Every structure is written in structure tokens, then in C-alpha cells.
Amino acid sequence: GLTGLALSVPVLSGCGRGPTRGHTLRFDTEAFEELTDTIATAGGDRSVTYRFYRAIPYVAKPVDVACQSLNISVPVAIDAVPVDASRAPILFANSVGGYLPSSTVKATGVGAGGMTGMPGMGAMPPGDPPPDAMAQVGSGGNAMISRAGRMVNNARLALAAGNVVVEPGARGRTLRNDEGAYYGVAPAAIVDLKAAVRYLRANRHKVPGNMDRIVSSGTSAGGALSALLGASADDTLYDEALAAVGAADASDAVFAAAAWCPITDLDHADMAYEWNWGDNPLATGGLVDPLESAQLAGAFAGYQASLGLHGEGVAALTAETLGPYLVESYLQPAADRYLASLPAAERATYLFTHSFIRYVDRRSGFSWADFRAHVGARRKSLPAFDAFDLSAPENNLFGLGKTKARHFTTYSLRKASGDPTAVLDADLPRTLEQMNPMPFLLEGNRARAKHWWLRVGTRDTDTSLSVLANLAAVAAARGDDVDAAMYWDAGHGANEDADDFIAWISRIAD
Ligand code: DHB
């Protein structure tokens, strides 16, 4: 789920329709190759020997078998010490980015083909890629960006810690068949991920690992899908679509859901974006239309109030309280962790250059407005997700049939059409619900994941920071175990505590 990274990564495999023969959904325990990989961990390099099961179709009636397949990696020895992963937790690591098609069928090992070792995979170039860069790639892989600007890969780290790793592909928004129909638009990707989990459970006596300890993970669009997988578990809303692809008859519930910078709650993302970044200048200079920005931010206030959420021991989370709440619960702690990690001289320099932090007297710490000014330019124009000209990736995500892109918010539809009474296409409310984790959490879906790991960088202006805070707050309100935090000054795709995440898997799975 990493648009920036994708620029420098060779495309391992686009999807594209394979032969449309049926598949048995029976896991062949002998169909593996044994590989040995050196994986760099915080504790030093680990030599990991593992069984690699590649390109296993997970639906009986695939429409695109290159996407609707998964890889399984099972550790058998770590630094020559045998490991038994038959009851180990399973990291279910999707590699979706940009809501694009993803495939791992051509990967030559865990973590999307050992991408970490490839030439040209050094530090990320500063700044974000152009918005359309994500349209050029087919697979984000499972690599992310550490604080030091190096690549980290949850899938590889999880394997080196003795976990089973499953890497599913999924259909994505750009796929088109011979008739010109878009067959990977919403809700295809979540249907596929659910089908992949169902495949694992249907083969629970053959696939190694503990099916009661599946931990889903993903970044950005993949983070959105991971959260959605956790929230919407076993809901009947997907039954028809699952039947259509021939998904196995089993539960798609996961034990835990981890999401980095999830691009989710899309129906309200334009409002949330203007509430958060509305006053920030565009990267190109200039401001968005202040009236439109105020209209959307105003609508966000209504939405936020409707959620009925509370912070930890705090008053209601409204459009007014949410900013100070973000500072108190996420931003100041993130700044503190960052500053504490710096050598004294660098800390002094940082504080001198960013005097708004006033670290020596924390109680007079920074305001929500100070913080937004610190971040500076917003990455997206207005509306951030449902573009008036239908050019946003999300317009394509909500395409249908031969229609590549559609409006999915009433606001943009009415503005763009000039018709103040226009209504969304009749199929959209249901599709939007299928793509949004919030309603499932608000209604307290009993089969949902009960453990949540949520992370985003404070400089990530791909979406509003309220998206992550609301996800965390609603899961906590349902009584779930929530580990939510932000990375100070980090951008889109950051993963600055990968080792903590791997330790978290072991802890919750115990
Ligand atoms: C991603 C980023 C976006 O800004 C967006 O709108 C959708 C997806 C991504 O990186 O996956």
C-alpha cells in the first residue's frame, strides 16, 4: 500500500485474467519449495528456512486467478534452530496500494519476492509521488518506510519471528475484461480478502498456523481493507459476491486487524479532509475554494457528532473537541517519543527550529492550529477523494460495469452536475457500506476483530488524521483492545515501530 515506494519497485506481476477453470480449494501440503532467506531484524540478521507455497488460487470460480491467489510462508528453522509453526499466529499481509490490483503469484519468496534486496531500493525520495503515480503499478508489495528512511517489511519480520505469513492478492479498480467492464472495482478487493481467509479456514487441518490467531495487516488502501476485514467479519452483506467467486464456506473472521495510514471512511473523507487540512495551502501554492472547504468542514461536524464517540476519559468527540483531543492523545505523545529518540544536540536543534513545540514546558504545549501550520502544504486538492472531474482513484474505485469512474458523495455529484437535487446511483449506498469499517464497528458486529493496531504519520496528508482516531475510538468504545499511535513528522507509508508490531502479535496471540 505504498505509492511512493511503488515508483522504485519493479512490478512483480500485474493481474490479468488467467484461465477460468475451476479450482478445488483443497490445500496441497506437499506443493512447496524450501527457501532460506537472510532477514535483518532489530536483534541482528536471521537466517530463516521456510516452506514457500506459491500462487494458490483461493476461490473456486476465479475471474482473475493472478489476483485471486495467495502465497504461504511457513518457517521451519531460524538460525538453524528448528521451529514448529503448526500453531503459530498467522500474519495475513495484503499488499494492496492505491486500491489497485495486487498479485504475489510471481514472488520468489516471502514479502513480495524479496523486494528488500533489490537494487534501487534505498531510501525513499523526499516528498510524495504525483497522484497518478499509483495508476502505473500493480503491486505495492509489503515494504514500508522506517524512521531512518530504510525499507521495513512486516511479512519478512513476522516470518523471522516464527509466524506463518499469508500474502493474498486481490482484484483492484483498474482491471477491465474483454467487454470493457471494470471487474475489480468495489467491493471486489474486500470480497477477495474475505475469500482468502475463508480458504485458509476451510483448510484449517492442512494449512499450518492457528486459524484463531489470524492477524490482518495492510497499508493505505491496504490498511483500509485490513480494517474493513476486521470490522465486517462474516457479515451477510457480502454473501452474494462471495458466492459469485466461489468462496469456501467458512468464517472470514480475523483475530486482529492492523492498519497503517488507512484510506477509509471514504463516504466522509472529503468532509474530514477539509476539517483537518482545509486551511493548509496546496503544494502548488494557493488555497482551495474557501467556501467549498467550509461547506465540507461544516458537514463533517454533523457526521462527527453522529458517531457519538468519546475520547479516553474525555468529553464527546465533536468537530470542536477533536483537534485538541488529537493533540493530547496522539500528536504531543508522538512529538515526545520523537524528541526522546534524538541525541541531545539534534533535539536542541529541532526544538530551536520548531519553537511551537515548547518542549521544556509541556503544559503550554502546541495547539491544533500550531500543528497544522507546522505540517504546511496539503497533498490533495478539493474535494480530496470525490473529485469534481472524476479523476481521483476513489472515483474509479466506485466505478461500475463499463463506467470507469463515478461520484460517490452527494456533495460532489451535485456540484459537478449543477443539479442540486441529483441523487447517487441506486447501487452506491450498499457498495459504500461494503467498503466502510465504521458502520460495522458502530453496530458492534460480534464477529469483528477484537484487537486493533493503528498507525499513521503526523505529516500524512493523504487523508484526515481523524480517520484513524475515529477508528480507534469506535473500537475502544466497543471494548476492543486498541493500540493506536502516530509517528511524529512521518509521511504516508511510514512504519516506525515494526518490531513492536511483531512483539504485539505474540503478546495478543498468547
Ligand atoms: C492510497 C493513497 C491515497 O491517497 C488514496 O487516496 C488511496 C490510496 C494508497 O497509497 O494506497
Side-chain angles (χ1 to χ4, degrees):
L2 199 56
T3 58
L5 170 67
L7 285 173
S8 56
V9 173
V11 176
L12 290 167
S13 166
C15 299
R17 292 181 308 149
T20 47
R21 63 193 169 85
H23 292 273
T24 65
L25 302 188
R26 214 172 303 120
F27 179 68
D28 178 356
T29 55
E30 298 308 310
F32 65 86
E33 49 184 318
E34 191 167 289
L35 302 175
T36 297
D37 251 5
T38 301
I39 298 177
T41 75
D45 282 1
R46 299 269 177 272
S47 172
V48 183
T49 300
Y50 61 104
R51 291 182 170 186
F52 188 58
Y53 298 86
R54 198 175 61 80
I56 307 166
Y58 58 68
V59 288
K61 296 181 277 183
V63 283
D64 189 326
V65 77
C67 285
Q68 295 170 302
S69 294
L70 53 77
N71 293 345
I72 306 179
S73 299
V74 183
V76 294
I78 299 173
D79 289 340
V81 180
V83 294
D84 174 10
S86 57
R87 297 287 297 163
I90 299 169
L91 179 67
F92 184 83
N94 81 63
S95 57
V96 175
Y99 287 106
L100 290 163
S102 64
S103 173
T104 53
V105 299
K106 290 187 183 162
T108 53
V110 68
M115 293 196 322
T116 51
M118 284 185 172
M121 290 293 296
M124 282 285 299
D128 284 305
D132 61 349
M134 64 172 78
Q136 297 159 16
V137 296
S139 172
N142 267 314
M144 303 175 71
I145 311 153
S146 77
R147 166 64 69 180
R150 279 190 285 274
M151 308 316 300
V152 286
N153 187 312
N154 285 332
R156 291 170 67 80
L157 291 175
L159 188 75
N163 301 288
V164 172
V165 175
V166 174
E167 295 175 272
R171 286 170 292 167
R173 62 185 169 84
T174 51
L175 295 168
R176 263 179 116 174
N177 65 21
D178 299 339
E179 286 78 53
Y182 288 87
Y183 65 89
V185 293
I190 186 61
V191 169
D192 286 351
L193 296 183
K194 284 171 173 289
V197 174
R198 289 177 179 219
Y199 171 88
L200 297 174
R201 265 223 182 74
N203 286 285
R204 62 187 305 140
H205 300 298
K206 296 195 202 119
V207 175
N210 186 344
M211 296 303 159
D212 297 327
R213 292 292 180 272
I214 299 174
V215 179
S216 164
S217 71
T219 304
S220 199
L225 291 165
S226 179
L228 181 58
L229 187 67
S232 69
D234 291 343
D235 198 283
T236 55
L237 200 55
Y238 307 86
D239 283 357
E240 240 172 87
L242 285 163
V245 292
D249 186 13
S251 166
D252 55 61
V254 295
F255 180 68
W260 281 261
C261 51
I263 304 289
T264 195
D265 200 2
L266 296 172
D267 355 7
H268 311 103
D270 289 334
M271 305 172 187
Y273 199 90
E274 296 313 316
W275 169 82
N276 190 152
W277 307 119
D279 297 336
N280 292 52
L282 290 159
T284 49
L287 298 168
V288 299
D289 183 316
L291 178 65
E292 290 172 343
S293 183
Q295 284 173 339
L296 284 165
F300 176 75
Y303 170 63
Q304 185 64 34
S306 79
L307 295 175
L309 294 173
H310 296 260
E312 215 176 293
V314 197
L317 291 182
T318 66
E320 287 72 40
T321 63
L322 192 55
Y325 165 76
L326 287 175
V327 172
E328 170 94 14
S329 300
Y330 288 100
L331 301 171
Q332 183 74 62
D336 291 350
R337 276 191 303 274
Y338 171 68
L339 288 164
S341 76
L342 292 179
E346 275 181 51
R347 180 160 57 241
T349 306
Y350 189 92
L351 288 167
F352 181 75
T353 336
H354 302 90
S355 54
F356 77 98
I357 289 190
R358 291 191 289 260
Y359 189 66
V360 274
D361 180 8
R362 286 255 325 274
R363 267 160 301 187
S364 68
F366 56 86
S367 70
W368 173 234
D370 287 338
F371 166 74
R372 288 176 296 146
H374 168 65
V375 172
R378 56 187 273 172
R379 181 161 119 74
K380 294 185 173 179
S381 55
L382 179 153
F385 295 89
D386 189 353
F388 294 140
D389 65 358
L390 296 174
S391 62
E394 286 75 15
N395 294 117
N396 178 205
L397 177 64
F398 292 104
L400 182 72
K402 292 181 187 173
T403 305
K404 179 181 180 182
R406 291 189 296 171
H407 288 299
F408 56 94
T409 65
T410 303
Y411 183 85
S412 289
L413 175 68
R414 290 180 177 176
K415 279 272 179 188
S417 66
D419 174 0
T421 63
V423 289
L424 294 175
D425 287 353
D427 62 295
L428 274 170
R430 179 183 152 90
T431 309
L432 286 161
E433 195 180 342
Q434 288 175 314
M435 295 303 288
N436 194 333
M438 291 297 285
F440 299 101
L441 291 170
L442 286 164
E443 78 189 18
N445 176 23
R446 295 175 64 105
R448 74 185 182 278
K450 306 295 190 317
H451 301 270
W452 298 86
W453 174 276
L454 302 167
R455 293 291 187 272
V456 68
T458 63
R459 261 186 194 287
D460 187 339
T461 62
D462 273 43
T463 195
S464 170
L465 297 177
S466 63
V467 170
L468 186 119
N470 279 339
L471 261 182
V474 67
R478 294 293 158 270
D480 297 351
D481 165 35
V482 180
D483 190 323
M486 297 189 184
Y487 307 123
W488 184 251
D489 271 0
H492 194 60
N495 178 3
E496 303 193 338
D497 54 357
D499 298 310
D500 293 345
F501 172 60
I502 304 302
W504 181 79
I505 295 175
S506 303
R507 197 162 66 242
I508 61 169
D510 242 6

